Amino acid sequence: MKIVMAIIKPFKLEEVRDALTGIGVHGLTVTEVKGYGRQKGHTEIYRGAEYAVSFLPKLKIEVAVAADLVTSVIEAIAGAARTGQIGDGKIFVMPLEKAVRIRTGETDADAL
């Protein structure tokens, strides 16, 4: 089992969710986060004054999947989240040692 974590632009959430549902992933967790990458933020002009925005709003999506689904999950997220502009995001994959569904007590792959 693996956890796939993706940092994406907020307006791409629905497209990513639809792409994941299309390949059979039914559960995900979404968190509002702020951060920056290589672009180091940007500058905005508001009422004639220039403001430096260091941390940009992003969404973090976490999906727990079986190891054999990781490649298709990565492809689905990357395809749906890509705009071709700077700041599209990143995808990280981490091992998942154990999962337990609290309601039923199912463990590991059955809990996903």
Side-chain angles (χ1 to χ4, degrees), residues 55-101:
F55 294 98
L56 302 174
K58 302 285 184 175
L59 292 179
K60 177 171 73 170
I61 298 173
E62 295 173 301
V63 183
V65 295
D68 59 335
L69 280 177
V70 170
T71 303
S72 54
V73 167
I74 290 171
E75 290 171 356
I77 293 172
R82 183 175 294 120
T83 66
Q85 303 295 318
I86 193 165
D88 273 353
K90 297 239 180 353
I91 299 173
F92 306 98
V93 179
M94 297 166 282
L96 176 60
E97 291 184 26
K98 188 155 191 75
V100 177
R101 180 171 295 166

Side-chain angles (χ1 to χ4, degrees), residues 25-26 46 57 76 90:
V25 174
H26 300 293
Y46 178 71
K90 297 239 180 353

Side-chain angles (χ1 to χ4, degrees), residues 3-63:
I3 289 189
V4 179
M5 180 175 64
I7 309 296
I8 65 167
K9 291 183 176 185
F11 64 88
K12 286 298 206 169
L13 177 61
E14 290 302 315
E15 291 176 48
V16 170
R17 187 186 64 131
D18 292 343
L20 290 172
T21 302
I23 62 167
V25 174
H26 300 293
L28 57 91
T29 302
V30 178
T31 309
E32 292 181 8
V33 295
K34 290 184 179 201
Y36 69 90
R38 291 181 182 164
Q39 76 270 19
K40 306 276 193 285
H42 67 276
T43 303
E44 291 184 358
I45 298 175
Y46 178 71
R47 293 190 178 183
E50 202 170 276
Y51 296 95
V53 179
S54 298
F55 294 98
L56 302 174
K58 302 285 184 175
L59 292 179
K60 177 171 73 170
I61 298 173
E62 295 173 301
V63 183

